[in-house]
Amino acid sequence: MQKDTLVFDLIQKELQRQRNGIELIASENFTSLQVMQAMGSVPTNKYAEGYPGKRYYGGCEVVDEIETLAIDRLKQIFNLSWANVQPHSGAQANGAVFLAVMRPGDKVLGLDLSMGGHLTHGSPANFSGKTYEAHFYGVKKETGLVDYEQLEAVALKEKPRMIICGASAYSRDWDYKRIREVADKIGAIVLADIAHPAGLIAKGLLNDPFDHCHIVTSTTHKTLRGPRGGVIMLRHDFENPWGIKDPKGNTRTMSQLLDLAVFPGTQGGPLEHVIAAKAVAFGEILSDEFAVYGKQVIANAQAMAKAFVSKGYNLISEGTDNHLMLIDLRNKNLTGKKAQETLDKAHITLNKNAVPFDDKSPFVTSGIRVGVPAVTTRGLKEADVANIVDLIDNVLTNADDEKVIAAVKDEVKNFMQQFPLYPELG
Ligand code: DSN
């Protein structure tokens, strides 16, 4: 068959875009070449509904080994008793947790999307807000920090079956112990969605949620630097508090409920080529090199935050503990939309983002979210990210000057040539 040049030319074009630009979307990263090679490999041809040793198809002996390796490595990273590596995404992982823990109409309590939360934590636009009764906590206006008093007050009033912690746009660490104490007062399950900071938690650089939160989910492609996908994890398995039994009358444990909720509950055949790539990424995370990466992510984020503050940018919570920062642009007379679009022209990629108590719509927003996992993978250090802040500031203070923007675009391309991306791909 002829090579599909139309598609492969576009893939080549995307490689050049990634090489020539500065990638600051907080949820993106660059996988290793071997993670990508595993993704583009023959397990994609295999149907394997079920779990290792218990499949609905023949010929699963090799993918059983692949999936078992991925599970074992993930268990080693986070010191787990059980893990499911089949969720196709973080949203699928959260969907399966809802199915395992909640019944339609049950109450859930999550961080409000407009305060940094996630769609799957109860947003009315998402299955989680349509199927369940969602309640929210936020951040404090004065500090930008999670309002744990509000969380507790809403939890005690509404008595949700599940409390979710975790965020998409929150730059500070979480007090998981405190959330569990609230949950224990009302018998709620705590789900920690660590999709954003998982790679930093993996190396002990942020608080560990696993002893306090009953269930933990994550994506695998953000700070974990693996293929796009999701996982569900338990450090401690436990009997389901609702006494749900199997047909033989045995009480199902939470791990069994979660396995059933992924397959057959919400997914069919697992993507074994992606699971192979997850196994590769998990192997990389177990290395000492990954700890060096994690520390550099935090050092870069802090250097970048400091550089923004020195140029008069208003950071929510005035800084960061993790890999990202959220910037309120109202004192710069810019919307998030305008900033994103203008920076895009200079090949600096980030996303507009609502800031807490935003007065603009989610399509416009007053802020931008900036993250460093991808540029850190490319080898940038503190001085380099401070230089990026200079470039961003130049674009944003000359947002209607096409000449300045074009000059910055050239500077960006030259600057990033010092940090080769996938040189093996030619
Ligand atoms: N889209 C992800 C992010 O950018 O944070 C969340 O799902």
Side-chain angles (χ1 to χ4, degrees):
M1 205 185 283
Q2 257 193 334
K3 185 168 178 183
D4 188 337
T5 49
L6 212 53
V7 174
F8 284 97
D9 285 354
L10 286 172
I11 292 173
Q12 192 58 26
K13 205 169 158 187
E14 172 60 12
L15 172 60
Q16 295 313 326
R17 187 196 70 80
Q18 292 185 13
R19 277 182 178 158
N20 294 336
I22 295 176
E23 182 52 72
L24 298 173
I25 293 178
S27 47
E28 294 191 11
N29 212 329
F30 300 111
T31 72
S32 68
L33 199 59
Q34 58 174 353
V35 164
M36 282 199 287
Q37 283 163 342
M39 258 188 289
S41 68
V42 292
T44 193
N45 299 324
K46 190 72 199 94
Y47 246 120
E49 281 171 343
Y51 290 102
K54 290 169 283 182
R55 305 281 191 184
Y56 287 82
Y57 293 85
C60 288
E61 61 275 14
V62 181
V63 293
D64 275 6
E65 286 189 59
I66 291 173
E67 190 166 333
T68 303
L69 187 58
I71 292 168
D72 287 348
R73 285 182 175 176
L74 184 61
K75 282 162 84 172
Q76 203 183 331
I77 292 170
F78 290 111
N79 188 18
L80 309 174
S81 65
W82 170 91
N84 187 310
V85 296
Q86 291 192 2
H88 303 327
S89 67
Q92 291 285 120
N94 288 344
V97 174
F98 270 95
L99 188 69
V101 171
M102 312 266 290
R103 294 182 203 109
D106 277 354
K107 293 179 181 177
V108 61
L109 173 60
L111 178 63
D112 199 313
L113 182 62
S114 69
M115 302 267 175
H118 189 256
L119 274 173
T120 57
H121 298 182
S123 160
N126 183 260
F127 81 92
S128 55
K130 291 183 192 290
T131 317
Y132 309 98
E133 186 183 316
H135 296 268
F136 299 99
Y137 57 94
V139 299
K140 286 192 169 158
K141 201 166 189 175
E142 322 78 66
T143 60
L145 300 176
V146 164
D147 189 340
Y148 292 99
E149 286 86 33
Q150 186 191 21
L151 183 155
E152 175 156 13
V154 181
L156 296 183
K157 178 164 179 275
E158 300 296 342
K159 300 192 174 46
R161 186 183 277 260
M162 182 161 77
I163 300 176
I164 308 180
C165 50
S168 290
Y170 185 61
S171 64
R172 294 298 181 177
D173 206 352
W174 286 78
D175 189 345
Y176 301 110
K177 184 167 178 282
R178 181 158 184 193
I179 295 171
R180 175 61 181 266
E181 281 164 6
V182 172
D184 282 347
K185 289 186 187 172
I186 53 168
I189 294 282
V190 183
L191 164 64
D193 177 347
I194 61 167
H196 267 268
L200 305 176
I201 293 169
K203 289 301 184 186
L205 300 169
L206 291 173
N207 292 337
D208 182 336
F210 288 93
D211 281 332
H212 304 295
C213 304
H214 300 87
I215 306 171
V216 179
T217 55
S218 183
T219 55
T220 48
H221 48 273
K222 298 186 175 92
T223 49
L224 287 178
R225 211 163 64 180
R228 306 198 79 77
V231 291
I232 310 176
M233 302 171 277
L234 298 178
R235 181 168 290 164
H236 309 285
D237 200 358
F238 55 101
E239 274 196 15
N240 79 75
W242 312 285
I244 299 170
K245 294 192 172 31
D246 68 14
K248 290 181 186 153
N250 300 316
T251 304
R252 291 195 195 273
T253 61
M254 185 50 66
S255 63
Q256 290 168 330
L257 289 183
L258 289 166
D259 271 340
L260 286 167
V262 174
F263 173 81
T266 50
Q267 291 190 173
L271 310 177
E272 292 294 343
H273 55 305
V274 177
I275 291 173
K278 287 175 182 172
V280 173
F282 298 157
E284 292 171 357
I285 294 162
L286 285 167
S287 71
D288 292 340
E289 230 174 281
F290 200 84
V292 174
Y293 167 69
K295 283 180 194 149
Q296 190 64 51
V297 165
I298 292 180
N300 282 352
Q302 289 180 357
M304 188 176 248
K306 199 169 153 206
F308 272 120
V309 169
S310 76
K311 289 190 177 299
Y313 287 86
N314 179 9
L315 267 60
I316 305 300
S317 87
E318 287 171 9
T320 179
D321 296 328
N322 56 27
H323 60 296
L324 67 80
M325 60 216 74
L326 189 58
I327 303 176
D328 187 337
L329 292 171
R330 282 178 285 201
N331 67 337
K332 299 281 182 183
N333 286 324
L334 276 170
T335 65
K337 182 172 189 283
K338 174 81 175 173
Q340 177 188 312
E341 288 172 358
T342 312
L343 288 164
D344 239 351
K345 291 187 203 162
H347 290 181
I348 299 173
T349 314
L350 45 68
N351 61 286
K352 63 178 180 289
N353 213 104
V355 294
F357 310 96
D358 209 327
D359 53 344
K360 300 195 181 64
S361 88
F363 300 102
V364 178
T365 80
S366 298
I368 49 174
R369 186 184 64 163
V370 191
V372 297
V375 290
T376 306
T377 296
R378 285 193 75 168
L380 278 73
K381 301 281 192 303
E382 290 92 323
D384 305 311
V385 297
N387 182 38
I388 291 178
V389 174
D390 287 342
L391 297 171
I392 291 175
D393 187 51
N394 196 4
V395 171
L396 295 186
T397 48
N398 297 284
D400 294 312
D401 187 332
E402 296 297 332
K403 268 196 190 150
V404 171
I405 295 167
V408 173
K409 181 172 120 184
D410 289 341
E411 208 178 328
V412 165
K413 186 173 173 181
N414 289 335
F415 177 58
M416 292 313 285
Q417 271 167 4
Q418 298 170 67
F419 307 97
L421 183 64
Y422 305 125
E424 306 89 340
L425 297 180

